[in-house]
Amino acid sequence: MGFIIGTAIGSFLGVVIVRQTTNDKRQTTKIGGRSRCDSCKKQLMWWENIPLVSFVFLKGKCRNCRSPIPYWLPLIELAGGLAGVWLASWASQTITVITFITVINFIGAGLMASALIWVFFSDLAYGLIPDLAVGVGVIGAVLSHLSNLSDLGYLSASAGAAGFILLLVIITRGRGMGTGDVTLAGLLGLWLGWPDILLAVWLAFIFGAVAGLTLIGLKLKRFGQTIPFGPFLIAGSVIAAMANDNWKTILGL
Ligand SMILES: [Zn+2]
């Protein structure tokens, strides 16, 4: 159940990402309405719009004009599905009694997961970190920490992470990272707190370096060309959030 709802939310976020980058004003402002092919604008039938399933039996192409469906659309649906499974199992393990606060925490975690998936694929596909997505994530992070909001650790982790990335943006004069990465780092700090945000940022730089060198090795990129950093920050944060606490004991944190 969590998987199916998750793929539907992932699919919806995919549509939001595509439309936010379309210049057509009428399309950007209108989130609702029937889904259509981005190449030939033909409206999709309901059975062409089932998350994951449709991509497989349409063999990744539009039925009308044969133009390829973006490779990341099934991935965002899959990511949504996995997030749904994770949220459902997290809820069944941690929530024993349903109270106002546990419901709010659950909604917060759902908004946070959606925001991370939204930013991840938007940055990956278009190099864009939407302020709206970061805003949704901030609301999610606040709601999921509602019972310990007085803990200033989350705020200082947020300011610390955003400040660190801002410093890098200033030093590198905006090559490589942008202001979107600053707000994203602030969001991730607010979500993870100390010391998890340290692990997250450290992993992000490792992943970024490995991916950069791999792309250069495969001659897909040259030195000096940039790759979006947001997906690495998010990947590092998800691992930091899921990791057990052994690394903290080892480092004495
Ligand atoms: Zn088409």
Side-chain angles (χ1 to χ4, degrees):
M1 194 62 192
F3 186 79
I4 292 168
I5 296 173
T7 54
I9 292 174
S11 181
F12 169 75
L13 290 173
V15 174
V16 173
I17 290 171
V18 169
R19 291 197 183 171
Q20 90 198 349
T21 53
T22 326
N23 287 324
D24 186 348
K25 269 249 155 56
R26 215 179 54 240
Q27 276 202 358
T28 353
T29 47
K30 192 163 161 264
I31 294 295
R34 300 289 299 273
S35 297
R36 52 183 78 227
C37 167
D38 287 306
S39 297
C40 66
K41 307 296 174 201
K42 188 181 186 299
Q43 281 201 349
L44 300 180
M45 307 294 288
W46 66 267
W47 50 267
E48 292 175 290
N49 212 5
I50 308 167
L52 290 174
V53 179
S54 294
F55 185 86
V56 173
F57 75 75
L58 291 171
K59 300 194 181 74
K61 291 193 184 81
C62 168
R63 192 173 55 99
N64 187 45
C65 69
R66 315 301 300 160
S67 63
I69 300 168
Y71 72 94
W72 55 270
L73 275 180
L75 296 179
I76 195 172
E77 291 164 355
L78 183 64
L82 294 177
V85 170
W86 182 76
L87 267 176
S89 78
W90 171 78
S92 67
Q93 279 167 23
T94 55
I95 301 175
T96 42
V97 189
I98 294 174
T99 61
F100 176 72
I101 205 82
T102 56
V103 171
I104 293 292
N105 286 348
F106 182 75
I107 293 172
L111 289 176
M112 189 70 213
S114 305
L116 293 185
I117 292 170
W118 187 353
V119 173
F120 186 100
F121 286 96
S122 177
D123 202 14
L124 186 72
Y126 299 105
L128 206 76
I129 297 180
D131 291 333
L132 183 61
V134 175
V136 167
V138 168
I139 295 170
V142 168
L143 292 183
S144 54
H145 295 320
L146 206 58
S147 39
N148 46 1
L149 258 193
S150 53
D151 185 351
L152 289 176
Y154 291 112
L155 283 180
S156 68
S158 173
F164 176 62
I165 300 293
L166 179 63
L167 195 66
L168 292 180
V169 171
I170 293 169
I171 291 171
T172 60
R173 295 192 190 136
R175 287 189 302 259
M177 276 180 251
T179 49
D181 296 301
V182 176
T183 52
L184 176 62
L187 166 64
L188 295 170
L190 188 65
W191 174 44
L192 295 172
W194 302 110
D196 299 46
I197 186 64
L198 295 174
L199 177 64
V201 173
W202 183 75
L203 285 173
F205 279 101
I206 304 262
F207 293 156
V210 169
L213 291 174
T214 308
L215 289 173
I216 290 166
L218 295 170
K219 301 219 179 341
L220 293 171
K221 291 271 180 187
R222 281 173 287 114
F223 271 109
Q225 278 189 309
T226 58
I227 41 175
F229 193 60
F232 302 118
L233 276 175
I234 292 171
S237 298
V238 170
I239 292 174
M242 290 182 159
N244 67 29
D245 289 342
N246 286 348
W247 66 276
K248 294 173 201 168
T249 338
I250 293 166
L251 294 177
L253 290 167

